[in-house]
């Protein structure tokens, strides 16, 4: 069976981020036939349509290429003031263009949120789901992986809550299954994964 490639994106730039720690722990525990890496969104400039031309910034090209080569994306983000942190929304805006031909097309996504609060960033999840669906990403319907009181589940900077990790592993397995079903369906129809961005990126 073809290897499935996942890319993790953290919505926090903090070096001691709980969300990056959760993402790292989740992507360390993958089903067989699945590989993963974490993309760094910190070098991205603020989105400016004038920069999004033939001469796109190197950080943008590098991130777009990573997503293009992936089958699925695992987002793990804090909630800022009840919503999606600006740095994550900025990355999504870069990845969403060009409309109907972005690297997001045909990709699947899983949303995780973590917070020291008891509700674990759940309000952010609703917004992020809406943002990602607008970019033609296929967001896994369930389960919602919400990590409350994340600060109490860390040991020496490593996210270490076995119960949460087992739950998240099931969500990743569901994501991989969705990807495999989607790709098998396209193959049965004699179609490839639709992505108009590939020519543009690979031509550089
Ligand atoms: C600007 C800002 C807004 C925040 N708003 C929320 C919020 O709405 N809900 C919440 O649960 N935590 C909120 N927090 C607290 C974050 O959950 C906490 O700082 C968390 O550790 C950030 O995630 P990280 O550890 O991955 O960086 C906020 C923090 C900041 C800096």
């Amino acid at each position: 069976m073809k290897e499935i490639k996942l890319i993790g994106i953290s919505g926090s730039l903090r070096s001691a981020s709980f969300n990056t720690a959760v993402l790292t722990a989740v992507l360390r525990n993958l089903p067989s036939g699945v590989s993963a890496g974490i993309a760094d969104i910190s070098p991205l400039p603020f989105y400016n349509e004038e920069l999004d031309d033939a001469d796109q910034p190197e950080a943008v090209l590098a991130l777009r290429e990573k997503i293009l080569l992936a089958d699925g994306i695992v987002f793990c983000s804090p909630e800022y003031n009840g919503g999606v942190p600006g740095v994550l929304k900025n990355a999504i805006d870069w990845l969403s263009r060009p409309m109907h031909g972005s690297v997001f097309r045909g990709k699947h996504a899983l949303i995780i949120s973590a917070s020291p609060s008891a509700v674990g960033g759940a309000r952010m999840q609703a917004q992020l789901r809406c943002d990602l669906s607008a970019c033609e990403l296929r967001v896994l319907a369930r389960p919602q992986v919400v990590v409350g009181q994340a600060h109490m589940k860390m040991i020496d900077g490593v996210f270490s809550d076995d119960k949460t990790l087992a739950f998240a592993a099931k969500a990743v397995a569901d994501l991989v299954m969705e990807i495999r079903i989607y790709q098998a369906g396209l193959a049965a129809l004699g179609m490839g994964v639709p992505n108009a961005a590939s020519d543009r990126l690979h031509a550089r």
Side-chain angles (χ1 to χ4, degrees), residues 60-74:
V60 172
L61 278 169
L63 183 64
R64 283 179 172 166
E65 199 148 294
K66 271 200 174 119
I67 301 300
L68 183 67
L69 296 174
D71 301 292
I73 307 154
V74 178

Side-chain angles (χ1 to χ4, degrees), residues 36-99:
I38 294 186
D40 181 12
I41 61 170
S42 65
L44 294 176
F46 285 131
Y47 187 83
N48 176 344
E49 230 174 317
E50 288 163 2
L51 298 179
D52 200 2
D53 54 16
D55 240 347
Q56 297 149 50
E58 195 52 43
V60 172
L61 278 169
L63 183 64
R64 283 179 172 166
E65 199 148 294
K66 271 200 174 119
I67 301 300
L68 183 67
L69 296 174
D71 301 292
I73 307 154
V74 178
F75 292 91
C76 188
S77 178
E79 171 180 287
Y80 276 4
N81 301 311
V84 178
V87 290
L88 179 55
K89 184 61 167 62
N90 184 55
I92 291 168
D93 290 339
W94 275 114
L95 292 169
S96 71
R97 306 306 287 183
M99 194 166 73

Side-chain angles (χ1 to χ4, degrees), residues 12 14 16-20 78-83 114-117 120-121 123:
S12 171
R14 210 164 67 83
S17 159
F18 300 130
N19 282 276
T20 306
E79 171 180 287
Y80 276 4
N81 301 311
S115 165
S117 87
R123 291 177 300 172

Side-chain angles (χ1 to χ4, degrees), residues 52 93 95-103 105 134-136 196 200:
D52 200 2
D93 290 339
L95 292 169
S96 71
R97 306 306 287 183
M99 194 166 73
H100 304 315
S102 84
V103 291
R105 275 199 94 200
C135 306
E136 302 180 84
R200 204 162 59 101

Side-chain angles (χ1 to χ4, degrees), residues 1-197:
M1 234 182 329
K2 174 185 171 284
E3 186 186 69
I4 297 294
K5 291 195 184 98
L6 302 179
I7 289 289
I9 294 183
S10 172
S12 171
L13 306 187
R14 210 164 67 83
S15 53
S17 159
F18 300 130
N19 282 276
T20 306
V22 169
L23 189 60
T24 303
V26 167
L27 295 183
R28 213 175 262 149
N29 178 27
L30 294 169
S32 70
V34 180
S35 67
I38 294 186
D40 181 12
I41 61 170
S42 65
L44 294 176
F46 285 131
Y47 187 83
N48 176 344
E49 230 174 317
E50 288 163 2
L51 298 179
D52 200 2
D53 54 16
D55 240 347
Q56 297 149 50
E58 195 52 43
V60 172
L61 278 169
L63 183 64
R64 283 179 172 166
E65 199 148 294
K66 271 200 174 119
I67 301 300
L68 183 67
L69 296 174
D71 301 292
I73 307 154
V74 178
F75 292 91
C76 188
S77 178
E79 171 180 287
Y80 276 4
N81 301 311
V84 178
V87 290
L88 179 55
K89 184 61 167 62
N90 184 55
I92 291 168
D93 290 339
W94 275 114
L95 292 169
S96 71
R97 306 306 287 183
M99 194 166 73
H100 304 315
S102 84
V103 291
F104 274 156
R105 275 199 94 200
K107 311 289 171 175
H108 291 67
L110 168 67
I111 298 174
I112 304 175
S113 59
S115 165
S117 87
V119 279
R123 291 177 300 172
M124 183 286 304
Q125 291 218 3
Q127 275 190 18
L128 184 56
R129 178 173 296 275
C130 196
D131 293 344
L132 297 179
S133 301
C135 306
E136 302 180 84
L137 265 170
R138 293 150 189 273
V139 187
L140 193 70
R142 53 145 294 282
Q144 285 194 305
V145 186
V146 177
V147 186
Q149 301 188 313
H151 61 303
M152 294 166 66
K153 299 170 181 168
M154 306 283 297
I155 299 175
D156 296 332
V158 176
F159 184 77
S160 305
D161 188 64
D162 289 346
K163 215 168 148 188
T164 303
L165 289 174
F167 187 72
K170 172 77 177 65
V172 171
D174 285 0
L175 174 71
V176 171
M177 180 62 77
E178 293 266 331
I179 293 168
R180 289 208 187 280
I181 291 169
Y182 174 74
Q183 293 184 351
L186 286 174
L189 292 168
M191 297 162 70
V193 174
N195 206 305

